[in-house]
Amino acid sequence: QMANATSSKLQFLMEHVPGMREAPPATAGRLHASSFFRKAYFPKGHRFLKAGVVASEDMTYVVVRGSVEFRCRKREASKGKPLKSLREALLLQQARRAMVTTMPAHSKCPASRREDQRQLATGIPEETATSEGPLCVSVLGVGGVFGSLPVPLAEPFTVVARESCETYFVSGPDSLKLPPALVQNVRRYLARATSWRLDR
C-alpha cells in the first residue's frame, strides 16, 4: 500500500511540477526529488502567502485537492506602479539568468531577506485590516503549482485556500536538497506565472 502511495505521488508530481520528469533517479546515496515534497492539509481560509510581506522561506506547493485563490487589494490594483516595478524586477532577473543557481533565492536568513527587500522594494503595502476589499486575480485547482516569489521581494498577492485543501509542498531546508535543474525550472515557472497575474 505504501509503495502504491509513493508511486501515485511520484506520478502526480511528475505530471504537474516543471522539471520533475527530468529529475535524477534515486540511488543508494541520493533520494529522488519527489521525496522532499510532503503532504499537508489546510482548512478553508488558510493563508499561504501575504501581500506586501517577503516570504520567510522558499516554499513551493502543488494542489492535490481543493483550490487556492490569489488576491490583491483593490486600492493596490488601481495604482499599478508598484506592481509594474515588480514585473520589471522579474523580467530583469530572467534576462540575467539569475534563476540558474544551485540555491533557491529564499535560502538566506530572514534578516538578509529584509535587507534585500529594502534594496529591491516595490512599494507594495502590507495587507492590513484597513485595506480595501480583496480582488480575486486567479484561482488554482488540482495540479496547480504556486509558491513564494523567486526573487527576494514582497509578495504581490495574498494566497488563501478557497476551500479545504490537500497539497504536496517543499520548503525551507528541504528546498536546498532539490536538484539545481528542478529548482531552476520551478522558479522560472513561478516567475512567468506571477508576471501573467500582474498583467491581468
Side-chain angles (χ1 to χ4, degrees):
Q1 186 175 0
M2 183 174 293
N4 289 337
T6 301
S7 176
S8 176
K9 171 186 175 182
L10 176 58
Q11 183 176 356
F12 184 86
L13 292 176
M14 288 178 66
E15 183 177 348
H16 299 291
V17 177
M20 185 63 77
R21 288 187 183 277
E22 293 73 38
T27 64
R30 181 181 61 198
L31 295 173
H32 188 269
S34 61
S35 301
F36 301 109
F37 282 77
R38 293 174 288 165
K39 182 173 283 190
Y41 300 86
F42 301 96
K44 178 180 179 180
H46 173 81
R47 186 174 63 198
F48 297 92
L49 297 167
K50 184 178 181 180
V53 176
V54 176
S56 60
E57 59 183 4
D58 186 74
M59 57 187 77
T60 302
Y61 296 87
V62 189
V63 181
V64 178
R65 180 178 58 81
S67 60
V68 299
E69 183 175 292
F70 287 74
R71 300 172 178 173
C72 68
R73 292 292 167 179
K74 293 180 180 177
R75 180 172 57 190
E76 181 55 37
S78 65
K79 287 183 179 180
K81 185 176 180 180
L83 298 185
K84 180 181 179 182
S85 298
L86 173 56
R87 185 187 303 109
E88 291 173 348
L90 288 170
L91 292 175
L92 179 61
Q93 189 207 38
Q94 292 182 73
R96 290 176 176 174
R97 302 179 65 84
M99 285 180 285
V100 185
T101 64
T102 57
M103 182 178 294
H106 295 332
S107 60
K108 293 179 286 185
C109 65
S112 297
R113 286 176 184 280
R114 287 194 292 271
E115 183 177 349
D116 287 334
Q117 182 184 10
R118 287 194 293 271
Q119 294 173 353
L120 300 171
T122 60
I124 297 174
E126 181 175 346
E127 179 184 313
T128 64
T130 58
S131 300
E132 294 182 21
L135 174 69
C136 177
V137 176
S138 66
V139 174
L140 281 183
V142 175
V145 177
F146 69 98
S148 50
L149 282 175
V151 289
L153 294 171
E155 296 293 330
F157 305 109
T158 292
V159 184
V160 300
R162 202 179 192 201
E163 55 192 305
S164 59
C165 283
E166 178 182 335
T167 72
Y168 286 124
F169 80 99
V170 61
S171 64
D174 282 341
S175 295
L176 300 177
K177 301 173 185 176
L178 296 175
L182 176 60
V183 172
Q184 175 188 348
N185 277 301
V186 171
R187 293 174 70 188
R188 203 174 267 158
Y189 170 81
L190 292 175
R192 286 198 301 263
T194 300
S195 295
W196 176 81
R197 292 188 183 97
L198 291 173
D199 284 332
R200 294 198 67 182

